[in-house]
Amino acid sequence: MSREWRIKSALIVIALVASILGGVPLYRHRHYRTPVVAGPGVTKVIKLSEFVPSLKGTMADADVFILEGKEPGGKVLVMANTHANEPAGLLATIIMIENAVVEKGTLILIPEFNNSGSLNTKPGDGYPLYYDIPTEWGRVRFRMGNRDASPLDQWPDPDVYIHYPDKKLFSYLDVRNTNRTWPGRPNGAVMERVTYAAMQMMRRDKVDIAIDMHGAETMFPVTNCIVAPDKSAKIATLTAMTVKAMEGFDNHVEGSPSGFHGLSHREIGDFSETLPFLLEAPIPFLDQPTGPKTVKLLLDGKDPFLLSLSKKKKLFVSYDENGWPMEKRVGQHCSVSLEIIRQYSKKNPDKAIRIQGIPRYAEIVKNGVGHYFHDPRKADPKSVYHE
Amino acid sequence: MSLIMVLYYVISAYIAAMVIWNFLREKKNANDMILYLLILMPLVLRILRIK
């Protein structure tokens, strides 16, 4: 063998090994699924593609869990993982899927709204591929996703994303961000079709309330809050005051800017009768000036750099040595959602929604998130879904 | 898969083929060989729909 081919062969082997070592974990991450046990309250599971058939068979399609009460009433939709790197909402909706029982009205849950984003990752930012939630019967492993859908499912990106229908210009990345593609369109980019499917569901099924669960950096002003347009502001304000008085945590109200299009808290309200609410829980993992992006930081939210910044009053939330653990974030999402539903029901008794079985903030902080997950090995296989 | 996405996979395959062609044609410069392979890796991972 000539010297040239000895060098080439060695380089090819190194490149192959690097590609396999890098590629196999990414392939396994994209195809890993977490078992979720549909609890006694789940009456039907449909797909988002029921509303936009072109999503069928794609990685952007998502499960929609429907929990119908015996008595007719209002309808509430709860979406999580619109940004799949903000996992508190996903964990809160899984607690709901596995435990909620609806007595009156209907609860609709989409745990992986940007399903493609949950199959994506951000190696350049050092994201872990998975995180584990401990339970009494073992650990449940979840994929850590990304803010944007995977380019494997929607490619290429445009130079500039022009929002439909108002032609506002966004960063090219936002064409894969399902909180910039509302209200969507049936023949647009894949993420526009995902949001359009949800809009169609809200319009067709006359959904009264839509809750979109997120997480935001502690250094970002719109954090630890409920974002609501004018039509939802009264319920949001009553909710914020009630959880502060009764459950002892802050969750202020931010108005939805009327000119900032593409966001769920803006477009759902403008393009349907539904009242939108976007919940933000602090997630220190997403802050830029932190230590390594570890699973520990994701779960306990403890970081010495943020603590130092907090002492200099650079954060928009209170922050101490206890960090911002996942239990607090999931607990806030559950309590705030339940309180929004309660406030809506008080104002609209003919469309009241009554739900049992969802733990509130103090219970989740005390017992941990995993306490409310059920062992899929002991469940009826027909009730186990893979998210 | 939309038509434009298919076209981008075709473009990626074409560029990958060109990179491989240049890698094979390179006789002496090991630095260039390494650069060709570095450029090739993300293209291959995309064509195989891994990343």
Side-chain angles (χ1 to χ4, degrees):
Chain A
M1 191 188 279
S2 67
R3 183 177 175 275
E4 172 202 341
W5 274 101
R6 278 202 303 275
I7 294 170
K8 278 185 178 167
S9 302
L11 291 176
I12 288 169
V13 169
I14 292 167
L16 270 175
V17 169
S19 299
I20 291 167
L21 287 178
V24 168
L26 296 173
Y27 179 87
R28 291 171 76 172
H29 174 266
R30 184 165 163 86
H31 293 86
Y32 177 81
R33 298 291 180 273
T34 302
V36 173
V37 180
V42 176
T43 49
K44 201 162 46 172
V45 181
I46 61 170
K47 288 278 189 184
L48 210 50
S49 56
E50 188 171 301
F51 303 92
V52 174
S54 66
L55 290 174
K56 197 171 183 178
T58 71
M59 292 289 209
D61 203 0
D63 282 333
V64 180
F65 294 80
I66 300 174
L67 293 79
E68 291 161 305
K70 285 180 181 152
E71 281 182 68
K75 290 181 180 172
V76 54
L77 165 66
V78 181
M79 296 169 282
N81 267 13
T82 296
H83 293 151
N85 58 345
E86 299 161 7
L90 170 70
L91 301 177
T93 51
I94 290 177
I95 287 177
M96 293 179 186
I97 289 166
E98 298 203 354
N99 297 280
V101 174
V102 179
E103 293 173 348
K104 184 176 167 66
T106 304
L107 172 62
I108 304 164
L109 298 160
I110 309 179
E112 297 275 16
F113 183 63
N114 187 348
N115 199 37
S116 170
S118 80
L119 308 171
N120 196 10
T121 180
K122 207 171 184 181
D125 275 19
Y127 276 23
L129 290 175
Y130 307 94
Y131 57 95
D132 292 343
I133 299 294
T135 72
E136 284 90 356
W137 43 267
R139 290 178 167 271
V140 187
R141 172 155 287 193
F142 293 89
R143 291 182 311 276
M144 177 66 179
N146 195 4
R147 180 179 172 88
D148 311 301
S150 170
L152 294 180
D153 303 314
Q154 183 179 304
W155 192 47
D157 295 329
D159 289 339
V160 175
Y161 161 45
I162 303 169
H163 174 259
Y164 176 84
D166 74 304
K167 295 188 170 65
K168 186 178 170 67
L169 303 182
F170 282 106
S171 148
Y172 71 99
L173 260 182
D174 281 331
V175 77
R176 287 189 274 123
N177 175 353
T178 42
N179 204 26
R180 296 295 182 278
T181 57
W182 295 93
R185 49 184 160 175
N187 53 357
V190 181
M191 293 308 116
E192 288 181 302
R193 284 183 261 153
V194 167
T195 48
Y196 183 78
M199 285 302 309
Q200 286 297 88
M201 177 168 54
M202 285 183 260
R203 289 185 283 235
R204 187 194 78 177
D205 295 348
K206 300 191 178 346
V207 172
D208 301 291
I209 305 167
I211 298 171
D212 185 13
M213 291 175 169
H214 285 255
E217 298 89 335
T218 59
M219 293 187 79
F220 186 59
V222 186
T223 190
N224 205 29
C225 63
I226 309 167
V227 188
D230 287 350
K231 68 195 275 191
S232 310
K234 200 164 184 180
I235 289 174
T237 306
L238 286 166
T239 297
M241 289 166 65
T242 308
V243 295
K244 172 74 177 167
M246 305 299 289
E247 302 190 54
F249 65 85
D250 286 313
N251 212 239
H252 69 278
V253 178
E254 289 277 347
S256 168
S258 59
F260 196 178
H261 292 278
L263 294 105
S264 62
H265 54 74
R266 177 79 265 142
E267 309 290 14
I268 289 173
D270 288 353
F271 286 85
S272 73
E273 297 298 313
T274 308
L275 298 177
F277 301 87
L278 186 146
L279 313 188
E280 294 279 16
I283 171 168
F285 180 92
L286 292 185
D287 278 297
Q288 291 300 318
T290 68
K293 302 293 183 189
T294 60
V295 172
K296 185 178 176 301
L297 174 61
L298 178 68
L299 296 181
D300 68 14
K302 289 182 189 171
D303 183 81
F305 300 101
L306 289 183
L307 189 58
S308 165
L309 288 165
S310 171
K311 287 171 184 163
K312 292 172 181 151
K313 302 196 184 304
K314 301 290 184 192
L315 306 187
F316 287 91
V317 292
S318 60
Y319 191 91
D320 58 22
E321 290 78 4
N322 298 314
W324 262 93
M326 186 65 88
E327 293 77 33
K328 276 178 74 172
R329 293 176 252 156
V330 175
Q332 283 196 189
H333 277 327
C334 286
S335 269
V336 172
S337 300
L338 287 170
E339 196 54 41
I340 287 170
I341 293 166
R342 196 177 76 88
Q343 294 294 343
Y344 175 83
S345 300
K346 270 173 72 179
K347 292 180 76 66
N348 303 276
D350 54 321
K351 285 188 161 189
I353 303 160
R354 263 202 327 272
I355 303 170
Q356 299 293 334
I358 300 175
R360 294 191 82 112
Y361 176 77
E363 294 169 276
I364 296 173
V365 169
K366 182 181 167 211
N367 300 321
V369 174
H371 177 75
Y372 299 95
F373 292 162
H374 295 115
D375 189 347
R377 293 167 300 186
K378 292 183 181 163
D380 177 357
K382 286 181 191 161
S383 66
V384 179
Y385 291 82
H386 294 89
E387 296 299 319
Chain B
M1 197 181 282
S2 64
L3 178 62
I4 190 165
M5 199 164 168
V6 174
L7 287 174
Y8 264 67
Y9 276 98
V10 172
I11 293 168
S12 300
Y14 174 75
I15 295 170
M18 290 296 103
V19 173
I20 292 168
W21 174 247
N22 279 288
F23 173 76
L24 294 175
R25 274 183 13 151
E26 183 56 56
K27 302 291 180 196
K28 290 180 185 169
N29 192 333
N31 284 344
D32 281 1
M33 290 179 200
I34 293 169
L35 286 176
Y36 288 134
L37 290 176
L38 281 174
I39 294 164
L40 189 61
M41 277 195 282
L43 290 165
V44 170
L45 290 176
R46 177 56 57 91
I47 292 163
L48 295 176
R49 293 184 55 73
I50 291 170
K51 180 61 184 172

